[in-house]
Structure formats: C-alpha cells, structure tokens
Amino acid sequence: MAVFVYAENINGVYKKAAFEAVSYAKAVADQAGETVTAISVNPTDSSDLLYKYGATNVINIKDEGLKNFSAKAYAQAVSEVLDGNTIVFPHTTDASSVAPMLAVMKNFSLITNVLEAPESQSPFQVKRRAFSGKGFMHAKAEGSGVIVTVSQNAFGVKENAVSGSEEVKNLSVANEDTKVISHEQSSGKLDLKEAEVVVSAGRGMKGPENWGMVEDLANVLGAATACSKPVSDIGWRPHTEHVGQTGKAISPNLYIAIGISGAIQHLAGVNSSKTIVVINSDAEAPFFKSADYGVVGDAFQILPALTEKIKAIKG
Amino acid sequence: MKILVCISSVPDTTSKINFTADKSAFDKNGIQWVINPLDEFALTKAIKLQESQGATVTVLNVGDATTEPVIRKALAIGANDAVRVNLDPKDSYSTAKEIASVAQNGGYDLVLCGKESIDYNGGSVPGMVAQLLSQPFVNASVGLDINGNEATAVREIEGGKETISVKLPAVFAGQKGLVDEKDLIIPNMRGIMSARTKPLQVVEPTSSEVKVQGVSYDSVPPRAAVKMVSPDNLDELVRLLHEEAKVI
Ligand SMILES: Cc1cc2nc3c(=O)[nH]c(=O)nc-3n(C[C@H](O)[C@H](O)[C@H](O)COP(=O)(O)OP(=O)(O)OC[C@H]3O[C@@H](n4cnc5c(N)ncnc54)[C@H](O)[C@@H]3O)c2cc1C
C-alpha cells in the first residue's frame, strides 16, 4: 500500500516543506518496499517537482470550493482520496491544522513534530521533538493507520528522482463554516521556519532604528530575520519574528544571535539549529554555553564589519 | 454566550527537563507547574469576552488532582467555574476525547485552546476536539471578535495573516497576539480569595483509548565547547563558518 504525503502549496506553488515531506515519505516507502503518492489541493506548479523527490503518483484535487483554506474542508478532501494507512504532512501551520482533523476522521494515530525516519514501521515508532526542544520522545503508534507531521528543516530535502504520473480528482467538498474576508501576505520575505540561515537579534540592539544592520547581514547571507520575545513585546519587530518557547521553534543550518542573552525560553526555540553563532558584549551571557562560535564585543561595531567580510567571500 | 477554555498544566518555562533513570518517562521531581503559556492567551481572551459580552467562562483541565493549583489560578484570573476530568492524560487523542465530551454536554458556543502545549508539543488536541465535535477549527489565532453567532478571527499564516468569519459554535487555538502580552491577567488578592470558593467539578473520564505511546525519552546532547573568536579577527569567524561548519 502506497505511502501518502500531503504536498502543501501556497497559492498553487509548492513550499519547500512540501518537498521535505515528500523526501520523508520516500524514506518511509523505501523502508517498506512501497511507492509514494502525493496529494495536493489545487496546485498550479508542475507535478514534476514532486517526482523529483520521489513521488510516483500525484493526485491533484481540483475543487473551486477549496480555493480558500479551511482546516475541516481540507481534511475532508484529503480523506476522500486517501487510500492507504500512512500519510506524511509537513509541520506547517496549515498542515498541522488539517492533520488532527484527518486523524479523527480516519481513526488514525497522529505523531507530530517528527525529526527522523521511523525506527520501525510495525508498530510505527519515531523520534519526535518534545519539551520545546529540551528533550526528545520516541513515540509509538497504536493501531494500523498513522499520520506524521515532519518538523521543518529536520529531515531535509533529498532529491530522489522517479518517473511519475498525475491524476486529477474533481471534488466538491462543502466549505460553509468559514469564509475568508481578507488575506495579507508579505511578498518577497523569506519564511522564517523554512530559512536555512536566520539572523536574530535581541534587546541588545537598543531600538528598532538599529535593525538596518541586522537586515544588511541577513541580506548578504540570504537569511530570514528573527528576534527575542521582549523585542516583539515592545513592538520593535512584528511578533511573527519572535522565536523561542512561546514563539516559533526553528532549526536552521546557521543561527546568528546578536545581543540576545540566551535565556532558557529563548534557547528552547532555537537550540536545534545546526550551527549557532553568538555575538554579545557580555562575556558571561548564558548563550555562549549553547553556541558553537562566539564573539564577545559590541554588535554595533561587529555587524557592519562582518557583513562586509561575508559580502567579500560571497561576491 | 458560554466559553470553554482548555488549559494544560505544564512545567514552568525555566524548568530543566530530566527523564527517569530508565528514560521511560518525564521526571516530575522538583517541577513547578504553570498554566501552559499559550493557553493563557486563550484564557485572557475569554475573560475579555466575559467583560464585554457577559459571557460565562469555564476552564477545563484533563488531569489528576495535582493540577488543581493550576486550575485555581485560572479561576483567580477570572473564570467563573472549572471542570477537571480525572485522568492523567496519556496522549493527545485521549485528552481531546475527554474535552469533546465535556464540550458536547455543556453546549458551549466557543472552545478556546492554546495552539500547543510546551511540554509534549503535540499541537493536536484543538483540531481533534473540533473534529470530534464536527465544528469549524481555526488554528494559530491572533485575533478574535464575536458578533452574535458569528466570529471574526485572524489567523497567522506563513508570511502573513488571514481574516475569516466563522459560524459558531467553533474551536479556536490561540497564541501570542490573541491578546496583548501586557494584558495577560496576573491574579490579585481578591481573585485568589474568590477562586477558593468557585465551583470546581471533578468528572470521571469516559474512555481510556490511547493512540500514541511515549516509549522512551532522551535529553538533548550537549554541544561541543564554544570556539571563541576575537572581535578583531572576524576573518577567522568567516573562515570557520565557511570551511569548518560549511554553513556559508
Ligand atoms: C513564560 C515565558 C515565556 C518566554 N518565552 C520566550 C520566547 O519564546 N522567546 C524569547 O526570546 N524569550 C522568551 N521569554 C523571555 C526570556 O526569559 C528572556 O527574557 C528573553 O529571551 C531575553 O531577551 P533578550 O536576550 O533580547 O534581552 P536581554 O535579556 O535584555 O539581553 C540582551 C543581551 O544583549 C546584550 N547586549 C547589550 N548591548 C549589546 C551590544 N551593544 N552588543 C552586543 N550585545 C549587547 C546583553 O549583554 C544581553 O545579553 C519568556 C519568558 C517567560 C517568563
């Protein structure tokens, strides 16, 4: 029986998280000697993009009623075309709204925030993130059907080209409970949870007027920007940038923390980053204990210099 | 209007997380318990609707008797009454089932939850409750207004936000932004005193079906010692990131 995967798109365009979920599904399928079937709702992108990561079948749900997102209606639609016992979702906001509803509809087990390929498939057992990054849990599914959501940037995107085929399913799912009034998307900004490099700053930056140098560094690195909680509480930065236990949990390849003390609640959201660089004027800042590389010094001098040096090697 | 707020009792955010010697469970020794911080946004929102619309607010916790201090704190913040389902929750599904059962019997217009608990990070209970109740579900809510039997909610999406109208009854999972951080209510003496006499009903669980088991737990391995680089030698930092860590 095929391993299914929910390939999330935004306005028809596949997200990196979708390719990661397909890569994960392919690893699950290979373990079991199966193939991967991807499900997507109203994509405009080519299915070739999914074959590239190992999906042999792509089911494109076409439904005008699903033009706007509704967790319940999307779960209903996926449920109608799902014909297997295992389905992988990315752990994005939308997908992690659909997955719990689908789990109840199908009477499947749901394991969220998974980090690695399963340790076993019958029973399905897998390592997942827990305690806000302060620990790991090995979770076992009871029963035969299982849904997993893959923590972003944990498993990685792995190319694994297969030749695939696509099937269109015309559905008309009732979607009456919710109605979209307005939709605001900031264009051109890198998604924080998907970013491989994140430049983050805290109260040490003294004020919002100083964020230009944080953004300059982020720009030369092709990075997303983030901040500590007090920075978003005071309104220096939008709360969508707040990382930590009560903000977003991220795991980029490189996390650069500038003027952030490294409180336990901040670390909880960032300590699964692969490489951590800390820049802080206080040599005693706790963050140095959780860093790979540290610089004790004034951010206002270090940032512009570092930006120039990185520009030089990237140039 | 009747509002049900689901609260989870979690280790205080400064807690060091340890596991039992055989790694089979979270070690609760020496842990301070608090209301899950994301649930606090939901609770405060409910109290605001209580003030502005005369709603009644019931807090619900699925937990054994040790969670009662956390429930009393929610009552001190302003909830009218509380229900505790007498079950040490084992997974998201069993928790959601108990919540849905209380919600069904109580005829609530709104069920408010936090988006995720900071202990097991399931992020699954609110959506499961919605489906068990066959109600609409809005995750990652950062705004909520009620007008009669319709809600206007703002939800966070990747790189933006979306405003939607939702027919009640419905389930909302809140996070930071649902109310301002500075509006979170710290219980005062009067609240604490009155919380002692507010009704806290204990009900027995309806089922015990578990769908996911925690088999074992690991701590996060420590990082290798930090390499310090002089601020006068940023070339060295760039070199290390480029050649050693291979991240730029
Ligand atoms: C329930 C709860 C949940 C929380 N959740 C989160 C969360 O999700 N995320 C989060 O981030 N926090 C969270 N916190 C807050 C957390 O405890 C810390 O207060 C916060 O992370 C500190 O932010 P900061 O490091 O930016 O500020 P500060 O603690 O003020 O530290 C600023 C740092 O900047 C350094 N600095 C100052 N000037 C310079 C300079 N010129 N150059 C270089 N360095 C400089 C200082 O040495 C200091 O280390 C939470 C707290 C609670 C109680």
Side-chain angles (χ1 to χ4, degrees):
Chain A
M1 214 182 299
V3 173
F4 281 74
V5 55
Y6 177 75
E8 179 169 323
N9 68 70
I10 288 213
N11 301 323
V13 178
Y14 288 119
K15 306 193 58 176
K16 184 180 140 205
F19 302 139
E20 189 172 17
V22 175
S23 306
Y24 186 92
K26 174 69 177 158
V28 176
D30 283 350
Q31 277 183 1
E34 294 296 343
T35 56
V36 173
T37 298
I39 300 175
S40 198
V41 179
N42 294 329
T44 49
D45 258 355
S46 159
S47 296
D48 291 344
L49 292 170
L50 303 181
Y51 307 151
K52 190 169 146 194
Y53 299 97
T56 318
N57 297 296
V58 177
I59 300 175
N60 286 331
I61 295 172
K62 296 279 179 206
D63 188 339
E64 265 302 294
L66 300 178
K67 246 184 84 194
N68 291 316
F69 179 79
S70 144
K72 196 174 166 199
Y74 271 50
Q76 186 61 47
V78 173
S79 166
E80 283 184 27
V81 301
L82 176 62
D83 181 26
N85 283 334
T86 309
I87 178 164
V88 176
F89 281 76
H91 194 77
T92 56
T93 307
D94 281 2
S96 53
S97 313
V98 175
M101 302 192 92
L102 182 67
V104 170
M105 277 176 200
K106 287 286 194 185
N107 200 23
F108 280 10
S109 303
L110 171 63
I111 305 180
T112 58
N113 267 311
V114 309
L115 300 166
E116 294 173 358
E119 291 156 359
S120 86
Q121 291 207 20
S122 47
F124 198 98
Q125 184 174 315
V126 68
K127 180 174 173 181
R128 64 182 297 276
R129 198 182 119 82
F131 297 96
S132 299
K134 296 187 228 171
F136 303 110
M137 172 184 184
H138 300 266
K140 183 177 81 173
E142 305 282 327
S144 53
V146 64
I147 302 177
V148 297
T149 71
V150 184
S151 184
Q152 279 171 265
N153 272 337
F155 185 75
V157 172
K158 300 193 166 79
E159 283 191 28
N160 211 328
V162 294
S163 64
S165 63
E166 162 187 306
E167 186 185 341
V168 173
K169 288 259 173 139
N170 290 295
L171 301 184
S172 40
V173 172
N175 184 7
E176 293 142 358
D177 296 333
T178 57
K179 221 169 50 222
V180 173
I181 301 170
S182 69
H183 187 96
E184 280 170 51
Q185 196 127 26
S186 47
S187 56
K189 264 199 108 182
L190 210 63
D191 183 57
L192 180 54
K193 290 193 79 158
E194 291 204 335
E196 297 194 351
V197 182
V198 173
V199 176
S200 184
R203 207 145 53 176
M205 289 309 294
K206 310 283 194 280
E209 66 282 3
N210 298 323
W211 242 262
M213 59 180 90
V214 177
E215 276 166 351
D216 288 345
L217 178 60
N219 284 339
V220 298
L221 285 166
T225 51
C227 67
S228 68
K229 178 169 175 287
V231 161
S232 69
D233 287 348
I234 325 164
W236 294 355
R237 299 297 291 176
H239 75 77
T240 48
E241 286 193 5
H242 151 207
V243 291
Q245 189 153 32
T246 49
K248 291 196 170 68
I250 56 171
S251 38
N253 286 333
L254 173 60
Y255 183 72
I256 305 184
I258 305 145
I260 299 178
S261 60
I264 192 165
Q265 299 94 345
H266 184 85
L267 291 175
V270 303
N271 62 3
S272 50
S273 307
K274 280 167 202 108
T275 299
I276 296 180
V277 175
V278 167
I279 299 169
N280 199 305
S281 53
D282 173 9
E284 301 298 315
F287 218 148
F288 286 118
K289 291 202 184 75
S290 310
D292 299 287
Y293 304 105
V295 185
V296 177
D298 183 358
F300 292 86
Q301 264 136 39
I302 293 172
L303 283 192
L306 184 60
T307 303
E308 284 312 311
K309 292 193 190 295
I310 290 174
K311 207 185 269 172
I313 75 150
K314 289 244 168 188
Chain B
M1 183 169 53
K2 289 180 71 178
I3 305 177
L4 185 67
V5 181
C6 308
I7 60 166
S8 164
S9 165
V10 298
D12 162 39
T13 56
T14 58
S15 301
K16 283 244 182 312
I17 300 299
N18 296 311
F19 302 109
T20 54
D22 66 354
K23 304 207 302 183
S24 68
F26 168 58
D27 182 358
K28 295 181 175 175
N29 269 318
I31 296 289
Q32 290 270 7
W33 299 90
V34 297
I35 302 176
N36 181 39
L38 300 177
D39 303 350
E40 262 193 81
F41 292 105
L43 177 58
T44 304
K45 183 75 213 184
I47 303 299
K48 286 191 173 287
L49 291 167
Q50 181 196 54
E51 285 161 1
S52 63
Q53 310 214 350
T56 59
V57 177
T58 301
V59 287
L60 168 61
N61 169 259
V62 180
D64 60 23
T66 61
T67 68
E68 288 201 359
V70 165
I71 300 176
R72 289 285 173 206
K73 169 141 189 238
L75 290 170
I77 285 172
N80 299 76
D81 58 1
V83 179
R84 178 171 70 81
V85 180
N86 190 25
L87 173 74
D88 185 17
K90 288 286 179 279
D91 76 342
S92 304
Y93 180 72
S94 57
T95 310
K97 268 212 112 143
E98 298 309 327
I99 292 172
S101 155
V102 172
Q104 192 93 61
N105 294 334
Y108 295 92
D109 305 285
L110 283 184
V111 177
L112 298 184
C113 307
K115 185 180 86 158
E116 160 173 317
S117 69
I118 65 165
D119 51 5
Y120 293 91
N121 303 109
S124 316
V125 168
M128 287 180 170
V129 170
Q131 185 58 38
L132 288 164
L133 294 170
S134 293
Q135 290 179 6
F137 171 48
V138 182
N139 204 1
S141 302
V142 291
L144 181 62
D145 283 316
I146 307 294
N147 196 343
N149 62 354
E150 207 161 283
T152 305
V154 184
R155 71 180 188 101
E156 190 177 304
I157 53 176
E158 272 84 15
K161 55 188 180 184
E162 190 170 84
T163 306
I164 48 187
S165 77
V166 187
K167 289 222 167 65
L168 298 182
V171 179
F172 299 85
Q175 61 178 30
K176 185 182 175 197
L178 184 58
V179 296
D180 259 350
E181 181 90 16
K182 62 172 174 16
D183 292 339
L184 289 177
I185 301 163
I186 297 161
N188 57 23
M189 198 36 95
R190 218 177 84 217
I192 295 166
M193 296 306 286
S194 72
R196 289 188 186 165
T197 55
K198 285 180 178 173
L200 192 171
Q201 192 195 347
V202 178
V203 300
E204 289 307 314
T206 56
S207 90
S208 57
E209 190 189 352
V210 167
K211 290 205 166 286
V212 176
Q213 300 257 11
V215 180
S216 66
Y217 297 84
D218 298 325
S219 302
V220 177
R223 262 174 212 271
V226 59
K227 275 193 189 161
M228 298 304 291
V229 177
S230 155
D232 305 321
N233 191 8
L234 294 174
D235 286 319
E236 175 63 1
L237 178 63
V238 174
R239 189 192 69 78
L240 288 167
L241 293 176
H242 186 60
E243 291 174 14
E244 189 177 82
K246 297 190 172 55
V247 285
I248 59 173

